[in-house]
Amino acid sequence: MEKYIIAELVEALVVGSANFIFMLIFGMPYAVLVSVVVGITNMIPTFGPIFGAAIGGLILLLADPWKAVAFLIFTAILQTLDGYVLKPKMYGDALGVSPVMILVFIIVGGKMFGVIGILIAIPLAAILSIVISKFQAVLLERKAIRLGIDDEELVQKADEPSKE
């Protein structure tokens, strides 16, 4: 659980920092305020990035409408990269789950169950990964018992390259 929270905080920091750098490069006002809002709201599943973009867009709209448009376009691109590249990689590393598996679960969960499917996709992928690894361990142990291999031999055979 703590790895998940750490990954969530790091991801929020990365998104907020990328947003801040973009706003500084293009000379947008309220860069710190908007970037903090975007980073914090990014931690809210599914709708958080939308809220962050809306709040930031409204603040910038009052200062300069064209900069608000540029901000919204950048935020859409950033959130797309975050959702399809950064999140699967970070959560995959933190939870020991393949990033591809996480991405597939997010897409399939969203298509099948909408927002609820997206919300439960990452924990479900982690649970399924654990179940699969436990099942593989049981199968391996049963095979070793059938072949009459003890634990030390099993470890040695697992370390040897496959001859197939």
Side-chain angles (χ1 to χ4, degrees), residues 2-8 88-97:
E2 67 189 40
K3 288 182 180 180
Y4 179 81
I5 293 169
I6 290 169
E8 188 76 33
K89 177 70 176 136
M90 289 186 70
Y91 289 110
D93 290 347
L95 300 173
V97 180

Side-chain angles (χ1 to χ4, degrees), residues 60-80:
L60 291 172
L61 185 64
L62 297 173
D64 185 346
W66 289 112
K67 289 184 179 178
V69 170
F71 167 80
L72 291 173
I73 291 170
F74 173 76
T75 301
I77 293 168
L78 179 62
Q79 291 303 329
T80 301

